[in-house]
C-alpha cells in the first residue's frame, strides 16, 4: 500500500522539490556500473529520478511503483519514454530477466508487512536472471535513527515553484519495534493549507534481512556501509543463486 506522500497528487508534486539532494542515488548508480548491469528493475521507483538517471546512461530500465500519482510525475518527465513504467509492485511483475534490481532510499523499510516483504523478495527473484543482483539499503536499528525525527531537528522551509514556501517537518508518533510510525507535515505558506502523511517503516536487524534473503534463494555477497550515512545503514548486495 502506497503512503499518502506518494499517492496524493498534491504531496507527490512536492517530493522532488523537497528532496532535491539525491546524492544517495550515486551509490546505486556506481553499483550498476560495478556489476556491468544492462537491464535494471527499479522497485518503488517513485517519481522516476533514479530510473531516468540510469536510462540517460543507456541502460534498459523498468520502474515499478504502486502510487499512481508519483508514477504520473515520472511519466511526465523529459526522457520518460526511455523507461518502461509499471503501475504496481514487485509481487506481480510481468516476465522479465534483469541484471539488477534496486530498492533505493526507504523502499525496503516501507514494505513493513512481513508477508508483503516475502512476496517482494520472491517477485524480484523471479525477475532476476540467474546470477543477477538485488541491491537495497536499510537502517541499522541499533542506531535508533527515529530519535532525531522531531520538529526541532527536521523543520525547514523550501521555496517550491508554483506553490511558494513550504514549511515541513517530521515527528514520530509511535515506536513499536520493529515498526516506527511518523507524521510528515507540510504547510503551504501561501494558502495556509496543511497536508500530512503517516509512513511506517520496519527496522530489520542485519541477521533478519540476511536470513530472509537466503530463504528466498539469494546469496548475500556483501553488506556495505552507506557512504551518505556512514555507520547508520546497511547496503545489501545479494545475488540470485546461479545453478551449477
Amino acid at each position: 500500500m502506497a503512503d499518502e506522500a506518494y499517492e496524493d497528487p498534491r504531496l507527490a508534486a512536492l517530493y522532488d522539490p523537497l528532496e532535491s539532494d539525491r546524492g544517495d542515488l550515486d551509490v546505486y548508480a556506481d553499483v550498476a556500473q560495478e556489476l556491468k548491469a544492462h537491464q535494471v528493475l527499479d522497485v518503488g521507483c517513485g517519481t522516476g529520478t533514479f530510473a531516468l538517471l540510469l536510462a540517460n546512461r543507456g541502460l534498459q530500465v523498468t520502474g515499478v511503483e504502486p502510487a499512481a500519482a508519483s508514477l504520473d510525475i515520472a511519466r511526465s518527465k523529459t526522457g520518460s519514454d526511455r523507461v518502461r513504467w509499471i503501475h504496481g509492485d514487485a509481487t506481480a511483475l510481468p516476465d522479465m530477466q534483469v541484471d539488477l534490481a534496486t530498492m533505493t532510499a526507504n523502499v525496503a523499510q516501507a514494505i513493513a508487512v512481513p508477508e508483503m516483504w516475502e512476496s517482494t523478495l520472491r517477485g524480484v527473484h523471479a525477475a532476476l536472471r540467474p546470477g543477477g543482483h538485488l541491491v537495497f539499503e536499510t537502517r541499522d536499528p541499533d542506531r535508533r535513527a527515529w530519535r532525531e525525527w522531531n520538529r526541532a531537528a527536521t523543520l525547514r522551509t523550501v521555496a517550491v515553484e508554483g506553490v511558494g514556501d513550504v514549511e515541513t517537518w517530521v515527528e514520530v508518533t509511535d515506536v513499536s519495534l520493529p515498526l516506527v510510525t511518523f507524521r510528515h507535515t507540510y504547510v503551504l505558506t501561501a494558502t495556509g493549507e496543511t497536508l500530512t502523511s503517516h509512513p511506517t517503516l520496519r527496522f530489520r536487524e542485519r541477521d533478519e534481512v540476511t536470513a530472509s534473503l537466503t530463504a528466498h534463494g539469494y546469496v548475500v555477497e556483501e553488506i556495505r556501509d552507506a557512504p551518505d550515512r556512514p555507520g547508520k545503514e546497511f547496503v545489501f548486495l545479494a545475488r540470485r543463486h546461479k545453478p551449477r
Side-chain angles (χ1 to χ4, degrees):
M1 183 176 178
D3 172 56
E4 305 102 309
Y6 308 105
E7 191 61 75
D8 185 328
R10 298 170 300 171
L11 290 175
L14 296 177
Y15 183 81
D16 285 344
L18 296 180
E19 303 296 336
S20 58
D21 181 7
R22 294 307 310 273
D24 60 301
L25 299 180
D26 293 340
V27 176
Y28 293 90
D30 290 344
V31 169
Q33 184 175 13
E34 173 187 341
L35 298 175
K36 297 180 172 58
H38 298 288
Q39 298 176 313
V40 179
L41 170 65
D42 185 16
V43 178
C45 66
T47 57
T49 301
F50 183 58
L52 288 167
L53 185 156
L54 293 183
N56 289 335
R57 296 186 180 187
L59 279 67
Q60 297 178 32
V61 185
T62 298
V64 59
E65 170 57 47
S70 294
L71 204 59
D72 286 344
I73 292 174
R75 286 174 168 149
S76 71
K77 292 182 177 180
T78 302
S80 64
D81 57 329
R82 300 174 186 169
V83 177
R84 179 189 186 188
W85 305 105
I86 297 175
H87 180 212
D89 56 49
T91 67
L93 293 167
D95 289 340
M96 64 179 75
Q97 289 280 278
V98 300
D99 305 312
L100 173 65
T102 61
M103 291 188 282
T104 66
N106 288 332
V107 171
Q109 286 189 258
I111 306 173
V113 178
E115 293 79 10
M116 189 61 134
W117 175 245
E118 304 294 321
S119 296
T120 297
L121 292 181
R122 285 194 295 269
V124 170
H125 187 275
L128 288 170
R129 63 167 177 78
H133 289 79
L134 166 62
V135 181
F136 62 92
E137 65 191 76
T138 185
R139 289 179 175 84
D140 181 354
D142 291 342
R143 297 304 297 265
R144 300 182 179 272
W146 57 85
R147 292 182 300 185
E148 301 173 6
W149 298 349
N150 56 70
R151 192 178 192 277
T154 61
L155 178 64
R156 60 195 175 110
T157 301
V158 179
V160 177
E161 184 177 356
V163 176
D165 286 349
V166 177
E167 188 178 59
T168 181
W169 66 90
V170 173
E171 294 173 295
V172 170
T173 57
D174 184 68
V175 179
S176 301
L177 294 178
L179 301 179
V180 176
T181 300
F182 55 99
R183 178 174 56 248
H184 206 150
T185 301
Y186 311 81
V187 178
L188 311 186
T189 304
T191 63
E193 184 179 12
T194 298
L195 306 173
T196 59
S197 66
H198 304 81
T200 295
L201 300 182
R202 190 176 194 93
F203 284 75
R204 299 179 177 91
E205 298 287 348
R206 173 177 173 147
D207 290 347
E208 177 189 357
V209 177
T210 298
S212 64
L213 288 167
T214 301
H216 287 86
Y218 297 88
V219 176
V220 178
E221 291 190 332
E222 193 175 353
I223 303 173
R224 300 179 178 178
D225 196 13
D228 59 321
R229 281 196 277 253
K232 297 181 179 180
E233 291 186 348
F234 306 121
V235 178
F236 280 82
L237 277 76
R239 171 175 50 83
R240 174 178 170 171
H241 178 65
K242 188 174 184 178
R244 294 172 182 260

